[in-house]
Amino acid sequence: MSFHTTLRAALFGISALALGVTAASADQLADVKAAGKLELATDMHYAPFDMLNNGTYEGVTKDLFDEVAKDLGVTPNYMDVPWTAELPGLEAGKFDMVIAPVTITPERLQRYTFTLPIADATVGLVKAASNDAIQKPEDLAGKNVGVQQGTAQEKQLQAYGDKIGGIEIKGYGTADEAYADLAAGRLDAVAGSSPNLAYLVKNRGDVFAPVQPAFGAPTYFAWVLRKDDASKSLADAVNQSILKMHEDGRLKAIQEKWFGAATDLPTEVPQN
């Protein structure tokens, strides 16, 4: 065998090995099953979806994804990550999925793979229970309203403020911080997704009251994966699990446990 033939064979072997590695890493579901676990990022300060109760993680997200993990046959590793670091961390490959409830938007659909919706995300407002001056969303023109920074809710609040003549918006790292300032009288209202606000009022109705009706357009929460070929297998498997939970009642039971009622959700990913 000549030197050139040997060299070509060696190069072919290296190329085949590289292709084999690429093929093996192009199926995220297979990788996850091989590892036996899923690395999952969420912000554990977003009740009732994600909460720390005496150091123990609980909430809607955990109940739902515990069921998904059972269906997939893997162990979920839940990581507490600030919201502003979650999507950049996903893109950097620091975890497999973001399971903090992420609002589906056209812009995000271009950049990420979304699962089927796991909850309603329509944006509303909450005020201090003692504040009789605010009866409807339009009454917040010129008022101070808090919202979690970097969220779709913040963008909708900005657009609504422009529509009614201006709102003084104050951004917070977590919704809990905004609620604390509202309770202390430093804000006139807080904007957030309807399920979060309903849970807040349900548990602290002596302090907070809803501002009716919700001002946002109907939107939904879902979970997020990277937008690449490798992620499709895992996204498909998660969606199959969510569909099973629709059919067997697990999704409804978890909604009723945390929200007090169940909401019909799309069984396809909304594209607008």
Side-chain angles (χ1 to χ4, degrees):
M1 183 180 291
S2 70
F3 170 77
H4 292 294
T5 301
T6 304
L7 179 59
R8 282 197 300 271
L11 291 174
F12 176 80
I14 293 171
S15 298
L17 179 60
L19 286 171
V21 170
T22 301
S25 62
D27 184 340
Q28 193 177 8
L29 178 62
D31 292 344
V32 162
K33 285 183 172 289
K37 62 180 180 178
L38 265 168
E39 301 294 342
L40 307 162
T42 191
D43 181 350
M44 298 180 184
H45 307 275
Y46 198 62
F49 290 93
D50 302 275
M51 299 172 286
L52 287 173
N53 185 4
N54 294 321
T56 300
Y57 175 47
E58 63 181 24
V60 178
T61 301
K62 184 178 186 300
D63 282 3
L64 285 172
F65 211 92
D66 278 354
E67 296 300 316
V68 173
K70 289 177 189 176
D71 288 344
L72 298 184
V74 298
T75 300
N77 180 32
Y78 299 111
M79 294 179 280
D80 188 9
V81 179
W83 163 246
T84 52
E86 289 177 20
L87 296 180
L90 176 70
E91 294 186 73
K94 293 184 178 180
F95 21 81
D96 297 306
M97 293 179 60
V98 167
I99 59 164
V102 182
T103 304
I104 301 171
T105 67
E107 296 80 12
R108 287 174 176 164
L109 284 166
Q110 296 297 315
R111 190 164 183 172
Y112 305 102
T113 296
F114 278 85
T115 67
L116 296 175
I118 53 96
D120 177 40
T122 303
V123 185
L125 296 155
V126 68
K127 65 175 183 175
S130 59
N131 188 345
D132 295 328
I134 298 172
Q135 297 295 325
K136 57 187 183 300
E138 294 86 346
D139 294 337
L140 287 164
K143 304 292 187 183
N144 296 308
V145 181
V147 68
Q148 188 173 8
Q149 290 175 322
T151 61
Q153 289 73 37
E154 182 180 35
K155 288 186 177 181
Q156 290 193 47
L157 179 62
Q158 290 167 344
Y160 184 70
D162 293 341
K163 178 181 176 181
I164 65 172
I167 289 174
E168 295 295 324
I169 297 174
K170 184 174 181 182
Y172 292 83
T174 69
D176 288 344
E177 293 169 344
Y179 300 149
D181 268 6
L182 177 58
R186 289 186 284 269
L187 293 171
D188 296 296
V190 170
S193 294
S194 295
N196 303 78
L197 301 184
Y199 179 83
L200 177 71
V201 172
K202 175 185 174 183
N203 288 278
R204 301 182 65 187
D206 57 326
V207 180
F208 303 108
V211 180
Q212 299 288 4
F215 69 85
T219 52
Y220 298 95
F221 281 134
W223 299 323
V224 175
L225 301 89
R226 286 179 288 278
K227 197 174 185 69
D228 54 34
D229 292 340
S231 298
K232 185 179 185 303
S233 58
L234 180 57
D236 288 346
V238 171
N239 285 338
Q240 286 301 312
S241 178
I242 294 172
L243 286 173
K244 282 176 60 179
M245 285 193 280
H246 273 274
E247 295 166 1
D248 63 24
R250 284 179 291 167
L251 180 59
K252 179 181 178 182
I254 291 169
Q255 285 187 321
E256 290 176 341
K257 171 184 174 180
W258 292 103
F259 304 143
T263 302
D264 289 334
L265 298 173
T267 53
E268 296 182 353
V269 178
Q271 297 300 308
N272 51 41

